[in-house]
Amino acid sequence: MEIINRRQRMSSVSRKVRRDQDRTIGLVPTMGALHDGHLSLVREARRMCDVVVVSVFVNPAQFAPGEDFERYPRDLTKDTAVLTDYNVDYIFAPSPEEMYPKNFSTYVTVEGLSEQLEGVVRPGHFRGVATVVTILLNIIRPDFAFFGQKDAQQTLVVKRLVRDLALETEIVILPTVREPSGLALSSRNAFLNPEERQSAAVIHRALTRAESAYAEGERNGAKLASLVRSTIETEPRARLDYVSVSDADTLEKLDKLNDKTVLIAVAARFGQTRLIDNLVLNQRDGVKIKS
Ligand code: AMP
């Protein structure tokens, strides 16, 4: 395994793999502090592709001033050890200065999708995501790139970006990996104290209640949202940011669900830590490809 820090070296290695060796490349973009959620993506990349690249880059462009960029957990030594066990070929770990060279001034904006849900609370976040993903896809030119359903809106932004800009990478979305309590794994869970961690499991309980109500025939978006909200509000440590019931492809808010594929998305704070999670109802191909 090689750790690559330079854009140019990463491009030339990828070019060589593609041209001289005619092998497929899988990219798993991450911000590091790896957990089993990330590793499920790495495992699938390893299964599907000849060469696996994991990028580890805490992307300053997707954090607003006052967010947790500085204190975001970083441990490249540990991440490297884990990825060695997973037989990864390359880690791409550029510095911010390498990724965004002096006078960097070109950003990618996926309009519409980026302003909803997380975009309301975190304006500019998806511009940062779309920009870094575009750079990564251009440097590495992977055949496949792997993303987690945990960040549902991000998957939509990335799929739209790849389609609109005619990038030649297939986006693979994999299911959310959870703790036994139902809490979705996240690098930010490291910030939770034991009580907060226990409380945070309420998010998945609330989503599961909505899923049961849906299974019993509830098709009113506002009623499902209020069921999720009231369940989360039973937990005194939770401060809810939003619950949204929307079209899983467009993020358009839905009142009558009918036979649509529906995304229920939640953001909530526990202490200083902001967590997101979601559930897809009436899922069809393309949203979840493997369970
Ligand atoms: P991050 O390092 O948080 O930017 O995440 C890197 C990738 O891992 C993204 O595609 C995430 O959606 C994915 N991911 C994060 N947490 C999970 C999880 N619990 N289950 C599955 N994928 C995840």
Side-chain angles (χ1 to χ4, degrees):
M1 187 175 70
E2 180 183 342
I3 302 177
I4 297 177
N5 304 118
R6 299 277 181 209
R7 284 164 58 132
Q8 211 176 4
R9 167 82 187 146
M10 190 70 249
S11 299
S12 76
V13 163
S14 306
R15 197 178 311 114
K16 208 165 162 47
V17 168
R18 270 194 321 276
R19 300 236 175 106
D20 305 353
Q21 305 167 2
D22 195 24
R23 295 197 291 166
T24 57
I25 304 179
L27 168 67
V28 182
T30 81
M31 298 206 297
L34 301 178
H35 52 64
D36 283 348
H38 299 112
L39 296 173
S40 71
L41 308 184
V42 173
R43 212 176 294 119
E44 185 64 1
R46 187 67 286 170
R47 198 183 68 76
M48 287 177 61
C49 306
D50 298 321
V51 171
V52 175
V53 182
V54 176
S55 60
V56 175
F57 179 62
V58 184
N59 175 28
Q62 69 189 65
F63 290 79
E67 289 187 349
D68 54 359
F69 174 72
E70 277 83 18
R71 68 177 197 128
Y72 195 86
R74 291 166 174 86
D75 193 344
L76 187 58
T77 310
K78 189 162 160 226
D79 291 344
T80 304
V82 173
L83 293 174
T84 306
D85 288 345
Y86 276 74
N87 224 354
V88 162
D89 299 281
Y90 299 98
I91 297 177
F92 181 46
S95 65
E97 298 72 31
E98 177 69 16
M99 207 53 169
Y100 298 107
K102 196 161 177 280
N103 297 330
F104 185 95
S105 60
T106 308
Y107 291 88
V108 179
T109 306
V110 178
E111 294 179 0
L113 285 176
S114 298
E115 291 94 55
Q116 326 264 3
L117 309 181
E118 285 297 283
V120 175
V121 191
R122 308 184 69 190
H125 171 67
F126 289 110
R127 181 178 93 138
V129 169
T131 302
V132 82
V133 169
T134 305
I135 300 171
L136 288 169
L137 296 183
N138 278 326
I139 293 173
I140 299 165
R141 309 268 169 128
D143 298 274
F144 299 94
F146 297 81
F147 291 84
Q149 177 60 27
K150 152 84 168 43
D151 298 283
Q153 188 174 4
Q154 173 169 280
T155 70
L156 297 179
V157 167
V158 170
K159 283 198 281 188
R160 179 76 61 83
L161 147 75
V162 164
R163 191 205 63 180
D164 288 356
L165 299 184
L167 305 181
E168 290 187 7
T169 297
E170 188 173 320
I171 302 304
V172 180
I173 312 298
L174 294 167
T176 303
V177 177
R178 300 177 181 284
E179 291 189 350
S181 69
L183 175 64
L185 298 191
S186 163
S187 306
R188 289 191 170 96
N189 291 354
F191 298 139
L192 299 169
N193 67 33
E195 293 76 30
E196 289 164 350
R197 198 179 189 101
Q198 206 176 6
S199 305
V202 75
I203 299 180
H204 185 246
R205 274 205 307 284
L207 290 169
T208 309
R209 281 192 71 186
E211 189 172 38
S212 306
Y214 183 86
E216 285 158 20
E218 182 60 70
R219 292 293 181 274
N220 181 311
K223 285 203 177 142
L224 288 180
S226 99
L227 186 59
V228 173
R229 192 173 301 115
S230 61
T231 307
I232 291 179
E233 281 167 0
T234 60
E235 176 48 66
R237 286 192 192 86
R239 274 173 301 134
L240 191 61
D241 249 0
Y242 64 77
V243 180
S244 104
V245 177
S246 61
D247 182 297
D249 297 317
T250 62
L251 297 184
E252 184 195 334
K253 187 170 179 286
L254 287 179
D255 290 324
K256 294 197 177 66
L257 309 190
N258 301 324
D259 61 349
K260 295 211 162 96
T261 301
V262 175
L263 176 74
I264 307 187
V266 171
R269 287 171 204 271
F270 296 81
Q272 299 297 304
T273 309
R274 185 171 180 281
L275 301 178
I276 59 170
D277 201 349
N278 68 85
L279 172 79
V280 178
L281 299 171
N282 195 21
Q283 198 149 233
R284 283 184 286 260
D285 290 352
V287 178
K288 179 176 176 182
I289 62 153
K290 192 172 164 266
S291 57

